[in-house]
Amino acid sequence: MLAGAAPVLVHNCNGGTAPNGQACSRNGSTNPTDLELVQAIATRAERKIGGTGAVNGTLKHSYAEKLLNRYQGIYGSRGLIPEQSYLGGVPVAKGTKGSARPDVFDPATGIIYDCRFLIRPGRGIGRSQADLNANNVPGATLTIELNP
């Protein structure tokens, strides 16, 4: 369970009412939206790792990737793809020169969720990152900035 200002993820609430007031779905979770799920995972990564700098940022992204994969493995795939690199609309290996690597991509909706683990978040996605995503991530239509 996550608590605080972030959306609450509750597992195994036995079909009743979760602490956030939402009715539990048949799979035993509050069935958060994709946005709520990714935001809660980013917030959890921030709280778990903490700190600032490139190393901590990498650790936060890795932790969030593992947590999302684990969630989708337990509760069923939502089709959310974490930390996959793309070049010219094709998946490529991490670190491929010129590729874009969205934090989380939903190919069904074209939404990229960009977790901003920054000291001063909320300044938006940079033009170069937006262009990189638009030119390389297949079907990307929208980037949502998440600030844990």
Side-chain angles (χ1 to χ4, degrees), residues 23-87:
C24 294
S25 66
R26 69 182 181 285
N27 67 2
S29 76
T30 58
N31 198 24
T33 66
D34 291 343
L35 176 60
E36 291 169 336
L37 175 63
V38 177
Q39 176 68 62
I41 287 172
T43 299
R44 188 170 180 177
E46 179 63 41
R47 288 183 182 157
K48 172 83 172 169
I49 307 299
T52 60
V55 171
N56 284 19
T58 299
L59 292 172
K60 291 171 192 178
H61 282 278
S62 295
Y63 180 79
E65 177 184 12
K66 288 176 188 171
L67 194 57
L68 178 58
N69 284 335
R70 184 171 42 201
Y71 183 94
Q72 291 189 109
I74 294 169
Y75 294 100
S77 177
R78 293 170 173 238
L80 300 176
I81 303 170
E83 304 293 342
Q84 172 62 58
S85 297
Y86 297 92
L87 182 61

Side-chain angles (χ1 to χ4, degrees), residues 10 12-25 28-30:
V10 178
N12 303 321
C13 62
N14 299 321
T17 302
N20 66 0
Q22 294 182 10
C24 294
S25 66
S29 76
T30 58

